[in-house]
């Protein structure tokens, strides 16, 4: 029997993930909970057999096996907890929680319920990263001693709640840096982070209190077990000369590799292997990667997967973000 899915929130990203999951034919989309009439109508056009219900409680009252959550960040942890405690698997937009404590509570609920938990950390599922990862796994780059990860969004979020740290959990670090930290640490096999040093800025000035305002520019250095160093930079609204700057660059004793966006695109990513000053192409756009992590979660769910202990790494990433914020 196909898993029956309920969708909580069907804004742009919720509908995009819905379309990707519907296209697999692996699940039945049974119900949606969406307060906006226009967004709900567009979602029902993707899944005409679904029923629209009022809220999460009503959604959990439907005959469903899993909930896909695409709501504002402040609600993610509580909504995921409610779904897991009701015995439903969960796929949630990032961040899963605003702090490591929130994320840890959700992962523990997934473990206790023995339900599959997925989070939309999508960059490690790109074709570009898939081309780089074997170089890291086989040691082809030698000892990887340095990693630089970057995500500058020249626009920034378009919803007011993003700029309220009580609702969002922080600024560009929790919004964009979460992707970078997850990508880097997972690619390196989850080394222990032994030290974190960071500087946060708000409108060009040092941010003294991350609980009072959201940072729009951040740099951080993470010391890793084994002596490697990870450097992170991210921002909203930066005068970057293009819409976005996205990169993950790996430096080893026997070579390097990079994932970089093309011509300021948020979606087109290129991978290269570096031989000193020569670059060898590994992967080129186009690559329809946006819904790939959701499809991976659904494929495992349809195959009967339950709690995956890899979910504890979500707490690792959230803990690093807490340390960047000094909390």
């Amino acid at each position: 029997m196909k898993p029956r899915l309920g969708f909580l929130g069907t804004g742009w990203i919720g509908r995009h993930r819905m379309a990707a999951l519907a296209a697999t034919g692996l699940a039945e989309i049974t119900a949606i909970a969406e307060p906006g009439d226009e967004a709900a109508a567009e979602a029902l056009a993707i899944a005409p057999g679904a029923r629209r219900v009022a809220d999460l409680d009503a959604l959990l009252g439907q005959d469903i096996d899993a909930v896909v959550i695409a709501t504002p960040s402040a609600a993610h942890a509580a909504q995921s907890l409610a779904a897991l405690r009701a015995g439903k698997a969960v796929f949630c937009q990032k961040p899963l929680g605003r702090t490591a404590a929130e994320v840890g509570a959700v992962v523990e609920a997934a473990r206790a319920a023995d339900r599959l938990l997925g989070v939309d950390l999508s960059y490690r599922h790109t074709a570009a990263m898939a081309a780089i990862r074997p170089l890291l796994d086989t040691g082809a780059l030698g000892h990887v001693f340095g990693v630089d990860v970057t995500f500058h969004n020249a626009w920034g979020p378009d919803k007011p709640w993003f700029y309220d740290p009580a609702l969002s959990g922080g600024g560009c670090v929790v919004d964009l840096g979460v992707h970078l930290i997850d990508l880097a640490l997972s690619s390196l096999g989850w080394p222990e982070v032994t030290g974190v040093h960071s500087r946060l800025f708000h409108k060009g000035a040092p941010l003294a209190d991350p609980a009072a305002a959201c940072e729009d520019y951040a740099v951080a250095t993470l010391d890793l077990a084994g002596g490697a160093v990870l450097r992170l930079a991210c921002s909203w609204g930066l005068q970057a000369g293009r819409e976005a700057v996205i990169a993950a660059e790996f430096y080893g004793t026997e070579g390097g590799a990079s994932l970089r966006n093309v011509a300021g695109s948020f979606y087109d990513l290129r991978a290269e292997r570096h031989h000193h000053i020569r670059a060898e192409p590994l992967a080129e756009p186009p690559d329809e990667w946006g819904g790939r992590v959701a499809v991976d979660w659904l494929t495992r769910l349809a195959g009967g997967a339950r709690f995956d202990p890899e979910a504890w790494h979500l707490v690792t990433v959230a803990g690093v973000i807490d340390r960047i914020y000094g909390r």
Side-chain angles (χ1 to χ4, degrees), residues 150-158 163 172 175-176 216-217 233-246 261 263-266:
T150 308
F151 199 147
H152 298 308
N153 179 344
W155 296 111
D158 61 356
Y163 301 92
C172 60
D175 179 39
L176 306 176
D216 53 24
Y217 180 80
C234 59
S235 68
W236 292 337
L238 193 70
Q239 307 289 338
R242 64 203 73 183
E243 290 196 290
V245 179
I246 304 169
N261 67 322
S265 172
F266 285 96

Side-chain angles (χ1 to χ4, degrees), residues 39 47 57 69 81 127 150 153 161 171 178 185 189 232 268 280 294 324:
D57 287 342
I69 298 172
L81 281 171
T150 308
N153 179 344
W161 62 263
V178 63
L185 294 183
L232 175 149
D268 291 338
E280 172 192 347
I324 289 173

Side-chain angles (χ1 to χ4, degrees), residues 199-202 205-215 324-327:
R199 292 198 67 191
L200 308 177
F201 291 79
H202 175 71
L207 177 60
D209 183 5
C214 287
E215 78 288 351
I324 289 173
Y325 285 128
R327 62 194 182 205

Side-chain angles (χ1 to χ4, degrees), residues 13-321:
I13 198 162
R15 295 195 304 276
H16 184 277
R17 301 308 188 248
M18 177 185 288
L21 296 177
T24 67
L26 293 175
E28 177 185 349
I29 299 174
T30 301
I32 67 166
E34 167 55 55
D37 291 340
E38 183 177 346
E42 292 189 36
L44 291 171
I46 298 170
R51 176 184 180 187
R52 185 184 180 189
V53 299
D55 52 24
L56 176 59
D57 287 342
L59 192 66
L60 295 177
Q62 303 300 303
D63 191 14
I64 60 174
D65 302 298
V67 178
V68 179
I69 298 172
T71 57
S73 297
H76 287 177
Q79 291 169 342
S80 297
L81 281 171
L84 289 163
R85 289 169 177 168
K88 316 302 181 186
V90 167
F91 182 82
C92 187
Q93 281 304 306
K94 57 80 188 172
L96 182 59
R98 293 165 292 184
T99 64
E102 285 191 347
V103 174
V106 176
V107 176
E108 171 56 26
R111 185 207 62 77
D114 195 21
R115 291 295 182 269
L116 187 64
L117 172 64
V119 176
D120 205 345
L121 294 165
S122 48
Y123 283 85
R124 60 160 115 161
H125 289 261
T126 61
M129 199 60 228
I132 292 171
R133 190 169 294 108
L135 303 178
L136 300 170
D137 292 345
T138 62
L141 303 182
H143 169 57
V144 176
F145 56 85
V147 181
D148 290 350
V149 288
T150 308
F151 199 147
H152 298 308
N153 179 344
W155 296 111
D158 61 356
K159 301 290 192 303
W161 62 263
F162 275 97
Y163 301 92
D164 181 348
L167 298 178
S168 61
C172 60
V173 172
V174 74
D175 179 39
L176 306 176
V178 63
H179 281 299
L180 303 176
I181 297 165
D182 174 79
L183 178 64
L185 294 183
S186 65
S187 299
L188 297 176
W190 297 104
E192 180 187 359
V193 178
T194 59
V196 175
H197 317 273
S198 63
R199 292 198 67 191
L200 308 177
F201 291 79
H202 175 71
K203 299 188 181 301
L207 177 60
D209 183 5
C214 287
E215 78 288 351
D216 53 24
Y217 180 80
V219 292
T221 301
L222 279 57
D223 300 320
L224 308 180
V229 64
L230 168 61
R231 300 190 303 173
L232 175 149
C234 59
S235 68
W236 292 337
L238 193 70
Q239 307 289 338
R242 64 203 73 183
E243 290 196 290
V245 179
I246 304 169
E249 299 165 302
F250 300 87
Y251 303 110
T253 54
E254 303 299 326
S258 66
L259 172 155
R260 295 173 182 146
N261 67 322
V262 178
S265 172
F266 285 96
Y267 308 106
D268 291 338
L269 304 173
R270 171 183 293 136
E272 295 177 333
R273 180 173 181 173
H274 302 160
H275 305 270
H276 195 208
I277 62 172
R278 181 172 64 87
E280 172 192 347
L282 295 176
E284 294 283 345
D287 174 31
E288 297 296 327
W289 54 269
R292 196 168 287 150
V293 62
V295 170
D296 175 74
W297 168 83
L298 176 58
T299 302
R300 290 187 291 147
L301 181 68
R306 297 283 185 149
F307 177 70
D308 183 352
E310 286 288 309
W312 289 111
H313 290 310
L314 297 165
V315 186
T316 300
V317 172
V320 170
I321 291 174

